[in-house]
Amino acid sequence: MKELMVVAIGGNSIIKDNASQSVEHQAQAVKAVAESVLDMLASDYDIVLTHGNGPQVGLDLRRAEIAHEREGLPLTPLANCVADTQGGIGYLIQQALNNRLAARGEQKAVTVVTQVEVDKNDPGFAHPTKPIGAFLTEAQRDALQIAYPDWHFVEDAGRGYRRVVASPRPLRIVEADAIKTLTQKGYVAIGAGGGGIPVVRTEQGDYQSVDAVIDKDLSTALLAREIHADVLVITTGVEKVCINFGKPNQQALGTVSVAQMTRYMEEGHFPAGSMLPKIVASLEFLRHGGRRAIVTSPDCLPAALRGETGTHIVNEGNKDE
């Protein structure tokens, strides 16, 4: 029986730098991602993909801001930007995969626009900290504050003002059952892009979108738990997770237990803005029944799946697998 693997692709794997922002550049980058996925399928895994969208949402927001300033067009809500980029990035990934899979008569890829339920009383909404969009002048900030009195802004190190939104914890992947069903039917499902579209329950029981940013690694781990995945893979900018990073005694981690990684985390080895969410997500997945979590760079992914590199976090009972 095939193992089910959930793989998180970073948004910066698709837009690598400012010179690679065009759709054409993104499509080329996605082809490299597709090759790694083909390797995983050849290794007899069922695959679910998630992806980041930070650079892409930033571009969407900036386009909307320019259109608002120059033409008076309404600003696009953040939740809609997340939905738009889920569709746009998912389209590039599924096309790249399907072009290769069709020739082999194998699985097809499909994108699921995914909502993620959050708590409307999450403390993050009272103290938003996640910056989005462009830097603003004081006059631009004041104009937006009048037009959108519920928005929050912070001054950013003398570079101007930026809007900030909440980053609530994900509670439930609304389309998890649909994604699970697709994998059972032989599809490569692409879901929970950008951490998912954040939604809350109204008093009537309906879903309503909110302007927020959900950490994509936490949403990926939650999706992996809800569809009962065996393996969670989080790609990042380094081949292996390191302790004492940047110091003379820096040490790259190979296979480590949940207990060991928890101790390293509690000792403060992982920065909050980069590696920490990936470690937290991996540990949550393993503590809820996952078999293995792998953290590595996209180009090292095939070798990591063969056990040749990457950081592998396992429960003690699985350490020798």
Side-chain angles (χ1 to χ4, degrees):
M1 186 174 179
K2 293 183 178 182
E3 286 192 305
L4 177 56
M5 176 183 292
V6 176
V7 183
I9 303 164
N12 290 317
S13 298
I14 301 171
I15 293 183
K16 299 178 182 295
D17 51 46
N18 289 339
S20 306
Q21 294 181 339
S22 71
V23 172
E24 291 77 14
H25 279 106
Q26 293 182 60
Q28 285 300 119
V30 162
K31 288 180 181 178
V33 173
E35 292 301 326
S36 292
V37 175
L38 290 174
D39 285 343
M40 288 184 279
L41 292 173
S43 300
D44 217 27
Y45 291 101
D46 286 325
I47 306 296
V48 172
L49 298 175
T50 72
H51 60 81
N53 66 347
Q56 292 85 354
V57 163
L59 289 172
D60 272 13
L61 287 170
R62 187 58 190 143
R63 291 187 191 100
E65 289 162 352
I66 292 171
H68 177 73
E69 294 168 3
R70 297 183 181 178
E71 302 293 337
L73 298 178
L75 288 171
T76 306
L78 176 59
N80 292 71
C81 288
V82 175
D84 290 346
T85 54
Q86 280 191 6
I89 298 170
Y91 150 69
L92 292 176
I93 296 171
Q94 76 180 42
Q95 185 182 77
L97 281 170
N98 285 339
N99 284 343
R100 287 157 176 76
L101 291 169
R104 294 160 43 171
E106 295 182 1
Q107 296 103 320
K108 293 293 186 73
V110 62
T111 301
V112 180
V113 176
T114 311
Q115 303 168 93
V116 176
E117 185 176 348
V118 300
D119 185 353
K120 63 183 178 182
N121 296 314
D122 188 291
F125 287 112
H127 304 284
T129 59
K130 183 73 173 179
I132 63 168
F135 289 96
L136 306 168
T137 66
E138 186 172 0
Q140 289 172 319
R141 179 207 63 180
D142 291 346
L144 287 171
Q145 191 73 82
I146 292 171
Y148 302 93
D150 294 334
W151 285 15
H152 299 266
F153 299 87
V154 295
E155 197 275 331
D156 192 328
R159 295 181 293 176
Y161 295 87
R162 293 188 77 186
R163 185 186 171 199
V164 289
V165 298
S167 185
R169 286 188 63 82
L171 300 179
R172 176 174 172 264
I173 310 297
V174 177
E175 285 77 20
D177 286 345
I179 292 170
K180 177 71 171 178
T181 299
L182 286 166
T183 64
Q184 293 170 338
K185 296 291 186 180
Y187 287 87
V188 177
I190 305 157
I197 305 162
V199 295
V200 297
R201 286 277 197 177
T202 67
E203 292 182 0
Q204 293 74 32
D206 297 329
Y207 288 117
Q208 176 180 304
S209 62
V210 290
D211 277 356
V213 173
I214 306 173
D215 183 273
K216 73 172 178 61
D217 295 317
L218 294 180
S219 287
T220 298
L222 178 59
L223 173 61
R225 286 159 45 192
E226 292 191 347
I227 65 174
H228 306 294
D230 301 289
V231 183
L232 170 67
V233 178
I234 298 178
T235 62
T236 185
V238 294
E239 181 176 346
K240 293 184 177 182
V241 178
C242 294
I243 57 173
N244 301 309
F245 185 77
K247 299 177 181 179
N249 60 339
Q250 175 176 311
Q251 177 186 346
L253 302 176
T255 299
V256 295
S257 69
V258 168
Q260 287 173 305
M261 192 60 87
T262 301
R263 185 173 74 252
Y264 293 143
M265 181 179 67
E266 292 172 347
E267 290 172 353
H269 285 282
F270 311 121
S274 56
M275 189 57 71
L276 183 60
K278 304 178 193 312
I279 301 303
V280 170
S282 298
L283 294 175
E284 287 189 359
F285 168 69
L286 291 166
R287 287 170 180 151
H288 287 82
R291 294 171 58 83
R292 180 179 297 268
I294 303 171
V295 182
T296 192
S297 59
D299 56 316
C300 291
L301 183 52
L305 294 178
R306 296 191 297 267
E308 298 168 3
T309 190
T311 295
H312 298 245
I313 313 170
V314 296
N315 286 304
E316 284 291 350
N318 297 330
K319 196 166 183 182
D320 296 324
E321 292 183 0

